């Protein structure tokens, strides 16, 4: 076997920075075309395989990226301990893709995890680490955060909630944000601001409550100001999609941000996704609006 031509860590860190910049500029996603256009030291290195869910560039000794295609918000294949599980490919466990996958686990190298949310559209999560190789069951455990790399497996409730919290932060929230912003064509539902890096995915029913799931119909794409104002009940959204501003805020006199950014939203209709399944759920809007009105 010839020695690898490139420095493993330098390639990986440059690749992570490349995807991060692209994701920041486009609401948290990268496209297949972008993943296929990465160049390191003049050498093109594709960050995604053409057809397989694992990318093993010939220049590297271990796997560079793995692909996951969740069907729902919590559909990742998790171990009993709540960690993400990535299955070996078919075939021998010590050759081809499986050899490089297991090598990445053995060496503790950082990888890129790509969560597919639409054809050729992915949410990049990096770095992730393969924290445990389980050849008998043909899978590796993926730590989506450094903090999960060396966590010991136990049934302890505190430990489990730590794993869940970090997984939510590093995996589920970015996927939720990307899905929502994409559904709203990368604009604020209230003011139509189109700067991806100033957009958030707001929850209609807050996270952690019943029906507070990270699904698009419980989300709204809002700019930072409107997200904060919505969360603090300065602005409400009626189930018929009309914006209401709190009466005391309407009476306030202040500069242009208050006037144009908040007060002028009164009575406007929010924009919603064209796909019916992505539109805000009227029952959730009602529940949340009632809280706003009572606040
Ligand atoms: Zn806005």
């Amino acid at each position: 076997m010839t020695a690898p031509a490139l420095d493993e860590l330098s390639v990986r860190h440059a690749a992570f920075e490349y995807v991060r910049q692209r994701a920041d500029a486009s609401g948290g996603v990268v496209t297949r075309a972008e993943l296929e256009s990465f160049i390191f030291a003049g050498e093109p290195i594709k960050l995604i395989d053409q057809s397989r869910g694992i990318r093993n560039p010939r220049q590297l000794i271990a796997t560079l990226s793995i692909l996951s295609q969740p069907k729902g918000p919590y559909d990742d294949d998790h171990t009993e301990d709540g960690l993400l599980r990535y299955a070996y490919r078919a075939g021998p466990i010590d050759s081809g893709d499986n050899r490089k996958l297991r090598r990445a686990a053995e060496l503790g190298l950082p990888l890129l995890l790509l969560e597919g949310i639409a054809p050729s559209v992915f949410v990049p999560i990096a770095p992730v680490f393969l924290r445990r190789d389980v050849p008998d069951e043909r899978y590796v455990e993926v730590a989506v955060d450094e903090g999960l790399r060396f966590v010991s497996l136990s049934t302890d409730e505190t430990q489990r909630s730590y794993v869940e919290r970090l997984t939510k932060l590093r995996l589920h929230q970015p996927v939720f944000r990307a899905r929502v912003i994409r559904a709203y064509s990368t604009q604020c539902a209230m003011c139509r601001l189109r700067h991806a890096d100033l957009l958030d995915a707001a929850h209609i029913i807050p996270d952690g409550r019943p029906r507070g799931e990270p699904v698009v119909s419980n989300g709204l794409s809002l700019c930072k100001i409107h997200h904060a104002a919505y969360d603090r009940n300065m602005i409400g959204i009626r189930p018929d999609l009309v914006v209401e501003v709190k009466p005391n805020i309407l009476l306030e006199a202040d500069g242009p941000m208050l006037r144009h950014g908040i007060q002028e939203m009164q009575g406007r209709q929010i924009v919603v996704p064209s796909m019916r399944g992505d539109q805000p759920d009227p029952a959730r809007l009602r529940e949340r609006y009632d809280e706003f009105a009572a606040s």
Side-chain angles (χ1 to χ4, degrees):
M1 193 177 85
T2 53
L6 297 171
D7 177 67
E8 293 281 331
L9 281 176
S10 302
V11 174
R12 287 161 201 269
H13 288 140
F16 302 159
E17 182 57 20
Y18 170 85
V19 292
R20 191 188 60 74
Q21 284 181 11
R22 266 136 200 91
D24 282 354
S26 54
V29 295
V30 283
T31 61
R32 173 173 288 278
E34 287 170 330
L35 291 165
E36 289 177 343
S37 308
F38 173 65
I39 293 172
F40 181 82
E43 192 163 349
I45 299 178
K46 290 183 179 177
L47 304 180
I48 188 166
D49 192 83
Q50 199 151 19
S51 56
R52 295 171 302 174
I54 185 167
R55 174 69 185 133
N56 285 316
R58 61 176 169 72
Q59 301 96 328
L60 299 182
I61 59 170
T63 298
L64 175 58
S65 81
I66 51 176
L67 178 62
S68 151
Q69 301 270 23
K71 292 176 194 70
Y74 298 124
D75 187 50
D76 300 305
D77 191 5
H78 286 102
T79 66
E80 280 170 19
D81 307 275
L83 289 154
L84 190 66
R85 179 195 294 234
Y86 187 82
Y88 289 6
R89 291 182 53 78
I93 66 168
D94 50 6
S95 65
D97 285 330
N98 290 336
R99 182 176 58 80
K100 285 199 172 185
L101 179 70
R102 300 183 65 208
R103 192 95 169 105
E106 184 192 340
L107 298 173
L109 288 166
L111 281 78
L112 169 64
L113 170 66
L114 297 168
E115 290 273 313
I117 61 163
S120 297
V121 180
F122 308 89
V123 178
I125 315 285
V128 303
F129 300 87
L130 306 182
R131 48 162 272 142
R132 201 164 74 100
D133 181 16
V134 190
D136 290 348
E137 297 178 46
R138 299 181 61 93
Y139 72 85
V140 286
E141 270 177 16
V142 183
V144 294
D145 185 275
E146 286 255 32
L148 297 177
R149 278 182 83 178
F150 306 109
V151 114
S152 60
L153 300 173
S154 77
T155 51
D156 177 55
E157 199 45 51
T158 318
Q159 193 72 62
R160 186 165 176 103
S161 82
Y162 175 72
V163 171
E164 275 174 11
R165 201 170 64 246
L166 282 181
T167 305
K168 185 181 274 186
L169 190 71
R170 292 272 291 145
L171 182 64
H172 296 138
Q173 283 179 359
V175 170
F176 172 63
R177 175 175 182 269
R179 283 185 189 279
V180 170
I181 290 175
R182 184 177 157 77
Y184 284 77
S185 307
T186 316
Q187 62 183 323
C188 173
M190 281 191 203
C191 68
R192 295 160 174 70
L193 183 76
R194 288 181 169 278
H195 268 273
D197 35 14
L198 295 181
L199 295 177
D200 286 340
H203 283 74
I204 298 172
I205 301 296
D207 182 30
R209 287 221 221 137
R211 299 204 297 161
E213 303 99 326
V215 292
V216 175
S217 59
N218 186 39
L220 292 166
S221 170
L222 293 177
C223 68
K224 303 275 180 193
I225 281 281
H226 290 134
H227 184 191
Y230 184 67
D231 278 0
R232 284 160 186 73
N233 287 329
M234 292 167 72
I235 294 181
I237 297 173
R238 298 199 319 232
D240 63 356
L241 307 176
V242 172
V243 178
E244 276 188 22
V245 178
K246 274 283 177 205
N248 62 320
I249 305 277
L250 282 175
L251 293 171
E252 235 178 83
D254 198 11
M257 180 56 86
L258 181 78
R259 195 166 66 249
H260 302 304
I262 311 269
Q263 290 167 334
E264 286 177 11
M265 295 298 123
Q266 169 76 11
R268 282 179 74 153
Q269 183 112 13
I270 62 163
V271 288
V272 296
S274 48
M275 292 254 296
R276 187 171 287 270
D278 286 345
Q279 292 171 359
D281 169 20
R284 285 183 169 106
L285 282 175
R286 160 63 60 194
E287 183 178 331
R288 182 62 200 279
Y289 174 77
D290 288 347
E291 272 177 38
F292 160 79
S295 69

